[in-house]
Amino acid sequence: MSGFGNTSRNDIWWVRPLLVFLGLSSFIVYATWAALQGEHYAIGPYLSPFYSPEIFGSSPHSWFGPKPSWWPMVLPFSPAMLILWAPGGMRFTCYYYRGAYYKSFWADPPACAVSEPRKTYLGENSFPLIMQNIHRYFLYLAVIFVFFLAHDAWKAMWFADPLTGEQTFGVGVGTLVLTLNATLLGGYTFGCHSFRHLIGGFKDRLSKSPVQRKLYNCASCLNRRHMNWAWFSLFGVMFADLYVRLCSMGIWTDWRIF
Amino acid sequence: MFYGYLDRLEDILMASYETYHHDVLVIGSGGAGLRAAIEASVAGVSVAVICRSLLGKAHTVMAEGGVAAALANVDDRDSWKVHFTDTMRGGQYLNNWRMAELHAKEAPDRVRELEAWGAVFDRTDDGKILQRNFGGHKYPRLAHVGDRTGLELIRTLQDYAIHQKIDVYQEHTIVSLLKEGEKVVGAFGYDREKGLFKVFHAKAVIMATGGMGKIYKISSNSGDCTGGGISLAYHAGAELIDMEFVQFHPTGMVWPPSVRGLLITEGVRGEGGVLRNKQGRRFMFDDIPELYKGQTSTDEEEGWRYTQGDKNAKRPPELLTRDHVARCITREIKEGRGSPHGGVYLDIAWIKEKISNASEHIKRKLPSMYHQFKELAGVDITKEPMEVGPTTHYIMGGVRVDADTQMTTVPGLFAAGECAAGLHGANRLGGNSLSDLLVFGKRAGEHAAVYAKGTKAGSVDDKQLEEIATWVLSPFERESTPTAENPFQVQSDLQEEMQKLVGIVRVESELNEAIEKIKAFRERAGHAACGGNRGFNPGWHTAIELKHMVTVAEAIALAARERKESRGGHFREDYPGKSEVFAKINVSIQKDAAGNMVVKQVPKLKIREDLQQIIDEMK
Amino acid sequence: MAKVVFNIWRTNPSGGEFRAYETDITEGMVVLDAVHQIQAEHANDLAVRWNCKAGKCGSCSAEINGHPKLMCMTRMSDMPEGKPVSIQPMKAFPVIKDLVTDVSVNYRVKKSIKKFKPRSPDAPDGTWRMAQVDIDRVQEFRKCIECFLCQDVCHVLREHALHDKFAGPRHMVYNAALEMHPLDIEDRTGDLKNAHGIGFCNITKCCTTVCPENIHITDNAIIPLKERVADKFYDPLMKLFRIFSK
């Protein structure tokens, strides 16, 4: 009754963990590749979410100008590397993803009521996984990022006239993509278990604080579908980068709706 | 490993036993048992609880609607006096008036006490314990938690009890009480796991073993409800009363067959659910008994307003007492106006005509009903009506007890909860059983402790123990005899016959037939045999249990034959009306010196003047 | 009516084995009905624990086709047609006999959790006031019927047998019901971190998927408790905040 994969389940229990494995792996591969490119991440008013905020960089979206002179020569430079650790950390320490990758990457367990490959188990009770408790700090950063990305979506509604440089309001497909991205990320971030706790869940008597209660209820509502938000926002952000990238490379053309 | 038949038999027939000593021994770990044990432990005596199953699994978990207590949180006109009057009226005045008085007075404190122990009842808008309407209760009186009040109650008691000084014996079965002279001085049992014998010496024993629904085929009761405690007390010489009064709950599931009898809470009707026959008629309006004419509505709209908390509206006839509703349903079915599977329709889905978020409301107020129908019958009660029919639910009768102390007619033996009799008279009101458990569980614990403190430990002679041990092991020896009976078969046949002959509608000829058949069942039970060994052996357990089931069945049938009238839970086709004579008596059952079951009519207790006045004022 | 084969785990002196029994299945039957039928017809001594047969007591937990489930709430019509059904005892607990397991560890763990301790009453008559919105959360946890299926499926207990280090999902739910109780003033976070080992949970949510009462064990009980433990032990900012707000 023991040994890796042993179970009396007669359904195809391995499909789900396999899909999670494939989904997460393809994201990691794509995101790493895209982050290392260091180019084709902006076009017109659009900025790829992998590169936002652009602290140093060559696009007009950059805060402090191009790559700093003090950047060590040996290290490859990409504006994405300066910031991507924050949303990456958010997802890595996210309660949903933790459960998902412990199963599909680490087979701990491979699926419910299915035997595991190893005998010892430490869980999140000791180093290194005890560090997962840092999640709320990544959450604080992620909340800031949601505002940056919302700002990017706002900026994506203002198109500069190539001749006069005058900014006019407009909506392109890219605008929709970036808006959707910010929305999905908002839904994911504000449905985070830590957010739900910090916004009101820590209290036993929320009836005494009506505003907090409302916020807690909103967070709980998003939290019920946290898994869906996690996946949709993951693919949303990947697609947003891909869209900006392909437009920037001239493979796709952004279609201006009005 | 070679393990021959004789070796095995020798192993099985080892009659050694372990011995335990306690001041108070509580048999049964449902609401009454746990409440009694807590109270006894507070008094500082050593207490043990015998659980037939695991702790917290007793039939109490199945109670749904609520616990009746005149807290007056929802309607401030309520008081113990109204609750007392409702209980007496519901019991057709055969109740032990003193129990009804104590019950009505003490229930509110018992409920508040649960809150102090961690129970989380549903709330009113101003944060108090919410109360709901229920059949026979004049005002909204049932403190509840959705439709899983029993679970809340038993869990609260369980979680409180484990931090008291109480020894808990889980999965132990008591097969006989032990006596020294007239006194009860302990109990003989075995543990289910290994089948080892245990002798519990105790200065006082409290029976809290619940009901007997499982002697009927269609029953809302848990598998444990085989009437064991009533039978144990009877065989120890205790007097039983009111055994003819069995409550058939009007609404049990009727389809699919495997869940037939499973309870549908009265709360469904309390929340506005209505009963209809196959013609769509609300047949409950057709027959409203005299005693309730004044407080029952004849208008559908008014009935709806009542369920929604309108204090000036009268209750709809669906919320009449259970005995009456059950009989009306039986009538509809018998006269061919029933549903396809032999029930009638109970419809809560119709309230969508009245309130906008009906589906959510139903799921919130009746979550386990929704779940139960969805999972077991594939019916969505927010969309379709349920098919319902009467199911054996409760026995008002049981061991006769002193109202104040809960002592039975045998010194040292106490009883509380469903296995005790008196509070409910001829018919119990919904919600009064959970309050019964609390009020009289506490009293039993308290007085058993007092009794134990004032008495010396008794002793049991070995002969008594040997006799019991031999009897308990006898099913193994019968395994290969030609007359051997399959215990499950005997049980199932008994249930079948009881359902047929001593059910909701009774008649002399059938009762006579039943009594004859029960004699034959006693014979068959004596041949019940089992294979296997003593470790967790359901065949063996059932073989032993049959004795108790047959005893209780006989008591019910004899008492039912004795009461030649119709009253409350007892309906005689051959005597359909109430009788002045029987209004003044309780039917009593006791074992005589020769071991025969003797039926007697005993005059009911004379009610105290001031209480009679209260009843008269509220008529 | 159809005949179905059941492979039921039967213990014997050398451990145990699956034994095949065939019985008739009629409309609406649940797995427990089939087991009872087999018990009555073929195996009087087949040990199975059950009480209410209505999904309310939580006694008849077992593994049906490898899935931890209540036998009384598993309908035969949901079983794959034409295939034998396997029934075995819960794996996370020692077997007593056949389908019956020794779940006593759960009772011991529960006793080790600090009991309910209410604040002093709100009203002079010794009662309290609680808002329904505040108890909704706790009432979800109190739906628990203690079937211990969550304990069974939890790999920390099932695979690694860390019963003495990790209290398990059921007792996390119990802790949550107490910790979030609007009246309770006891602090159990220290115990949760140490004695009850909340860190062992790696939130794979198997407990939630098997819960017959649909309690959101992981999302609503365990994770909020993990957050409360983090507040107290793993969050330096919170610690500072607590020092200054004193």
Side-chain angles (χ1 to χ4, degrees):
Chain A
M1 298 256 291
S2 58
F4 183 31
N6 208 316
T7 182
S8 299
R9 283 178 64 168
N10 51 11
D11 54 339
I12 32 174
W13 56 264
W14 43 267
V15 168
R16 210 180 153 90
L18 182 68
L19 288 177
V20 170
F21 178 82
L22 294 175
L24 289 180
S25 303
S26 52
F27 177 82
I28 292 166
V29 169
Y30 177 81
T32 311
W33 174 81
L36 288 173
Q37 295 308 300
E39 54 179 6
H40 296 307
Y41 55 82
I43 180 166
Y46 306 150
L47 172 64
S48 156
F50 282 174
Y51 286 78
S52 176
E54 187 181 6
I55 299 171
F56 294 103
S58 49
S59 92
H61 299 275
S62 169
W63 291 1
F64 303 113
K67 172 179 156 185
S69 51
W70 45 259
W71 188 263
M73 290 292 281
V74 287
L75 283 182
F77 176 81
S78 160
M81 291 164 61
L82 296 176
I83 53 111
L84 222 46
W85 56 270
M90 169 76 180
R91 287 188 192 254
F92 187 80
T93 59
C94 161
Y95 284 104
Y96 165 68
Y97 284 111
R98 272 145 74 178
Y101 66 71
Y102 290 143
K103 268 185 183 164
S104 48
F105 282 74
W106 200 240
D108 206 6
C112 301
V114 177
S115 285
E116 295 170 17
R118 53 197 103 59
K119 285 269 161 276
T120 53
Y121 177 78
L122 299 171
E124 299 185 339
N125 207 41
S126 47
F127 191 79
L129 293 181
I130 200 166
M131 295 302 290
Q132 303 277 31
N133 283 303
I134 208 168
H135 185 48
R136 55 182 61 184
Y137 287 91
F138 281 113
L139 166 74
Y140 300 144
L141 292 171
V143 171
I144 299 170
F145 271 65
V146 171
F147 286 105
F148 285 142
L149 294 171
H151 183 64
D152 286 347
W154 171 248
K155 281 202 305 192
M157 293 172 193
W158 296 95
F159 292 81
D161 189 299
L163 294 176
T164 62
E166 196 193 337
Q167 303 233 319
T168 51
F169 180 79
V171 171
V173 172
T175 317
L176 298 181
V177 169
L178 292 186
T179 308
L180 183 70
N181 174 52
T183 312
L184 291 174
L185 284 171
Y188 169 63
T189 309
F190 296 119
C192 159
H193 292 87
S194 288
F195 184 80
R196 181 178 178 227
H197 168 76
L198 295 162
I199 205 72
F202 68 95
K203 274 192 178 172
D204 295 338
R205 282 195 278 172
L206 273 172
S207 57
K208 298 248 183 288
S209 354
V211 178
Q212 244 182 335
R213 201 180 100 214
K214 283 238 162 62
L215 291 170
Y216 173 76
N217 288 344
C218 291
S220 298
C221 182
L222 292 171
N223 182 265
R224 275 190 278 278
R225 305 246 174 286
H226 198 46
M227 178 181 87
N228 299 359
W229 287 110
W231 282 107
F232 284 121
S233 64
L234 190 78
F235 285 106
V237 79
M238 188 158 102
F239 181 73
D241 177 84
L242 185 73
Y243 185 84
V244 174
R245 187 167 299 282
L246 292 178
C247 288
S248 160
M249 290 164 79
I251 298 171
W252 283 359
T253 316
D254 183 49
W255 186 54
R256 189 72 184 272
I257 298 166
F258 64 85
Chain B
M1 189 174 85
F2 176 74
Y3 198 54
Y5 176 72
L6 286 177
D7 292 337
R8 206 201 82 209
L9 207 59
E10 197 173 317
D11 221 28
I12 287 169
L13 299 184
M14 282 236 310
S16 64
Y17 21 75
E18 290 169 33
T19 308
Y20 303 88
H21 294 269
H22 299 281
D23 291 327
V24 174
L25 179 72
V26 184
I27 303 174
S29 60
L34 289 174
R35 189 62 190 83
I38 289 170
E39 203 58 26
S41 76
V42 168
V45 296
S46 87
V47 188
V49 177
I50 309 284
C51 315
R52 198 166 114 151
S53 310
L54 295 173
L55 184 60
K57 307 292 184 197
H59 180 57
T60 307
V61 296
M62 297 182 79
E64 292 167 351
V67 39
L71 297 160
N73 287 350
V74 173
D75 194 320
D76 56 16
R77 291 173 296 181
D78 203 8
S79 70
W80 76 263
K81 291 179 181 171
V82 189
H83 192 183
F84 166 76
T85 319
D86 286 350
T87 304
M88 293 296 289
R89 185 190 295 117
Q92 312 259 345
Y93 307 107
L94 278 187
N95 322 53
N96 178 323
W97 57 268
R98 176 64 176 158
M99 283 176 87
E101 180 196 11
L102 292 170
H103 170 254
K105 280 182 173 166
E106 293 175 6
D109 279 342
R110 295 289 82 78
V111 171
R112 289 189 203 110
E113 188 172 74
L114 285 183
E115 186 147 287
W117 295 350
V120 187
F121 291 103
D122 288 354
R123 316 308 292 183
T124 61
D125 288 338
D126 56 351
K128 295 182 189 165
I129 295 172
L130 180 62
Q131 297 179 276
R132 69 157 51 121
N133 284 312
F134 236 58
H137 292 282
K138 193 164 181 192
Y139 301 118
R141 190 177 284 146
L142 270 69
H144 60 277
V145 188
D147 51 9
R148 53 161 192 86
T149 315
L151 173 66
E152 186 71 18
L153 189 140
I154 198 166
R155 203 63 83 226
T156 304
L157 293 173
Q158 173 191 345
D159 295 348
Y160 190 80
I162 57 174
H163 295 287
Q164 298 287 112
K165 276 213 172 82
I166 298 172
D167 290 313
V168 179
Y169 298 90
Q170 298 197 52
E171 296 194 313
H172 278 59
T173 305
I174 297 299
V175 294
S176 180
L177 294 177
L178 299 172
K179 288 182 78 177
E180 184 188 33
E182 283 308 298
K183 271 191 333 186
V184 163
V185 291
F188 185 105
Y190 63 86
D191 71 286
R192 298 196 148 208
E193 178 176 343
K194 295 207 169 67
L196 298 178
F197 290 147
K198 312 271 171 117
V199 174
F200 298 95
H201 293 275
K203 294 174 185 167
V205 174
I206 302 175
M207 302 303 299
T209 54
M212 52 81 243
K214 280 294 159 190
I215 65 172
Y216 285 86
K217 191 96 210 163
I218 300 173
S219 159
S220 66
N221 284 194
S222 188
D224 276 348
C225 301
T226 51
I230 297 174
S231 163
L232 289 174
Y234 163 81
H235 287 292
E239 183 184 356
L240 311 180
I241 54 163
D242 297 341
M243 290 298 287
E244 68 276 29
F245 295 118
V246 175
Q247 180 169 73
F248 297 88
H249 195 287
T251 58
M253 288 177 81
V254 296
W255 189 262
S258 80
V259 292
R260 184 157 197 152
L262 199 57
L263 189 68
I264 298 155
T265 175
E266 196 166 323
V268 174
R269 284 168 283 146
E271 297 294 338
V274 299
L275 290 165
R276 293 181 201 280
N277 61 22
K278 76 171 176 193
Q279 296 149 353
R281 180 173 175 75
R282 280 181 70 179
F283 57 85
M284 287 307 299
F285 281 104
D286 301 345
D287 180 9
I288 297 168
E290 207 50 49
L291 206 50
Y292 286 92
K293 278 235 159 90
Q295 37 176 283
T296 309
S297 167
T298 50
D299 172 46
E300 297 197 6
E301 190 54 38
E302 185 182 17
W304 163 253
R305 278 190 281 120
Y306 175 88
T307 63
Q308 299 311 297
D310 181 345
K311 291 184 182 176
N312 299 315
K314 288 187 284 187
R315 90 182 90 186
E318 273 89 358
L319 288 177
L320 283 164
T321 51
R322 289 174 172 178
D323 53 337
H324 180 73
V325 181
R327 267 195 307 279
C328 289
I329 293 177
T330 309
R331 181 195 65 215
E332 291 301 307
I333 298 168
K334 258 196 174 160
E335 295 175 8
R337 295 186 294 273
S339 65
H341 298 112
V344 294
Y345 295 108
L346 171 61
D347 188 6
I348 182 79
W350 80 278
I351 67 168
K352 59 180 175 263
E353 296 166 19
K354 295 284 182 186
I355 50 178
S356 53
N357 55 342
S359 172
E360 281 316 302
H361 179 79
I362 294 168
K363 284 184 209 166
R364 192 186 144 71
K365 283 288 180 185
L366 304 160
S368 45
M369 287 304 105
Y370 174 76
H371 188 233
Q372 176 175 319
F373 271 88
K374 195 95 193 150
E375 299 283 317
L376 295 173
V379 168
D380 182 349
I381 65 166
T382 67
K383 296 201 176 79
E384 319 161 55
M386 303 159 240
E387 274 187 81
V388 302
T391 175
T392 314
H393 187 53
Y394 191 87
I395 184 156
M396 275 65 79
V399 187
R400 177 172 210 155
V401 289
D402 174 77
D404 289 79
T405 65
Q406 297 290 295
M407 175 114 83
T408 66
T409 53
V410 178
L413 183 64
F414 297 74
E418 189 172 347
C419 69
L423 171 61
H424 308 295
N427 176 49
R428 175 177 72 84
L429 298 185
N432 269 2
S433 63
L434 290 186
S435 40
D436 175 8
L437 305 181
L438 296 171
V439 170
F440 295 106
K442 175 184 182 285
R443 283 190 163 265
E446 187 182 329
H447 290 282
V450 171
Y451 176 90
K453 281 178 181 170
T455 193
K456 281 203 296 257
S459 68
V460 185
D461 64 290
D462 288 344
K463 200 172 139 262
Q464 199 181 147
L465 298 181
E466 266 164 47
E467 271 172 22
I468 299 168
T470 311
W471 171 70
V472 173
L473 292 175
S474 60
F476 287 105
E477 295 180 79
R478 291 194 286 264
E479 188 189 354
S480 44
T481 56
T483 50
E485 289 267 7
N486 179 344
F488 293 105
Q489 191 59 50
V490 181
Q491 186 187 40
S492 156
D493 293 349
L494 173 70
Q495 292 167 337
E496 204 82 64
E497 293 298 339
M498 284 301 284
Q499 187 72 39
K500 213 164 69 195
L501 302 173
V502 200
I504 189 163
V505 176
R506 299 160 178 179
V507 64
E508 183 104 12
S509 58
E510 288 184 353
L511 291 170
N512 283 332
E513 189 186 341
I515 290 161
E516 282 312 306
K517 284 201 163 146
I518 289 167
K519 275 187 196 143
F521 276 120
R522 193 188 302 126
E523 188 83 359
R524 285 180 69 189
H527 294 299
C530 65
N533 57 41
R534 281 163 71 171
F536 218 113
N537 185 341
W540 182 38
H541 302 162
T542 306
I544 300 168
E545 242 160 53
L546 283 173
K547 173 184 171 184
H548 301 311
M549 298 179 80
V550 170
T551 301
V552 175
E554 186 178 9
I556 294 174
L558 284 175
R561 183 170 66 178
E562 188 69 17
R563 185 172 286 277
K564 293 179 173 41
E565 66 156 351
S566 293
R567 183 181 294 272
H570 174 66
F571 184 80
R572 287 281 297 259
E573 210 168 43
D574 41 353
Y575 301 96
K578 279 184 208 167
S579 127
E580 278 302 309
V581 183
F582 281 100
K584 297 190 180 71
I585 65 115
N586 294 104
V587 175
S588 142
I589 281 176
Q590 214 163 1
K591 189 172 168 177
D592 71 6
N596 296 316
M597 197 176 270
V598 181
V599 190
K600 266 194 321 217
Q601 298 182 10
V602 295
K604 74 175 186 188
L605 302 172
K606 177 139 175 47
I607 187 167
R608 212 171 62 216
E609 219 28 64
D610 57 317
L611 294 176
Q612 184 59 52
Q613 238 165 28
I614 293 172
I615 292 174
D616 294 339
E617 276 163 24
M618 296 200 189
K619 257 198 176 136
Chain C
M1 197 150 81
K3 284 208 180 293
V4 173
V5 174
F6 290 82
N7 291 316
I8 301 180
W9 185 259
R10 299 297 309 264
T11 42
N12 57 28
S14 56
E17 60 183 0
F18 281 106
R19 287 244 285 274
Y21 298 94
E22 197 177 52
T23 197
D24 289 327
I25 300 301
T26 50
E27 188 184 344
M29 264 172 89
V30 293
V31 170
L32 185 60
D33 290 318
V35 172
H36 279 156
Q37 215 165 278
I38 290 165
Q39 192 182 51
E41 291 166 358
H42 308 290
N44 279 188
D45 64 339
L46 167 59
V48 53
R49 191 182 265 141
W50 72 284
N51 294 67
C52 78
K53 208 173 106 51
K56 293 198 166 97
C57 74
S59 296
C60 63
S61 306
E63 300 189 2
I64 301 163
N65 285 342
H67 292 277
K69 277 178 179 292
L70 293 179
M71 286 185 268
C72 70
M73 295 301 279
T74 308
R75 296 178 75 181
M76 283 308 301
S77 55
D78 294 338
M79 297 288 109
E81 217 169 304
K83 286 194 184 143
V85 175
S86 83
I87 310 174
Q88 65 200 101
M90 290 193 282
K91 191 188 167 194
F93 305 107
V95 177
I96 290 175
K97 189 184 165 198
D98 303 337
L99 300 177
V100 176
T101 51
D102 176 5
V103 293
S104 57
V105 59
N106 297 304
Y107 291 88
R108 287 197 297 277
V109 172
K110 190 181 211 186
K111 203 169 171 173
S112 73
I113 296 168
K114 284 183 193 157
K115 66 179 176 190
F116 176 67
K117 185 170 150 194
R119 63 169 188 255
S120 46
D122 300 336
D125 65 351
T127 59
W128 288 271
R129 300 290 175 267
M130 286 188 268
Q132 183 65 43
V133 291
D134 291 338
I135 59 169
D136 281 342
R137 189 158 65 155
V138 177
Q139 285 185 331
E140 178 187 7
F141 306 140
R142 294 186 66 92
K143 288 196 302 190
C144 172
I145 56 171
E146 299 196 332
C147 62
F148 306 127
L149 287 172
C150 56
Q151 303 283 95
D152 178 45
V153 81
C154 175
H155 73 128
V156 184
L157 308 175
R158 183 186 181 89
E159 283 281 308
H160 304 289
L162 295 174
H163 291 92
D164 53 341
K165 291 192 173 134
F166 177 51
R170 159 59 191 138
H171 301 106
M172 291 300 153
V173 169
Y174 184 59
N175 260 301
L178 290 165
E179 278 293 286
M180 298 178 196
H181 195 305
L183 302 185
D184 183 77
I185 51 171
E186 186 64 83
D187 180 7
R188 298 172 189 81
T189 43
D191 283 352
L192 277 167
K193 174 177 173 280
N194 302 314
H196 298 135
I198 193 168
F200 280 103
C201 168
N202 70 345
I203 42 189
T204 42
K205 293 200 180 177
C206 293
C207 51
T208 307
T209 55
V210 300
C211 180
E213 286 291 308
N214 296 318
I215 301 171
H216 295 87
I217 301 176
T218 319
D219 289 320
N220 289 351
I222 302 183
I223 295 175
L225 288 177
K226 278 188 175 243
E227 286 294 315
R228 286 180 184 216
V229 169
D231 277 349
K232 189 130 183 232
F233 299 102
Y234 301 117
D235 187 338
L237 282 181
M238 280 288 182
K239 210 163 252 179
L240 274 178
F241 178 75
R242 269 201 303 277
I243 291 168
F244 284 112
S245 62
K246 253 175 201 165

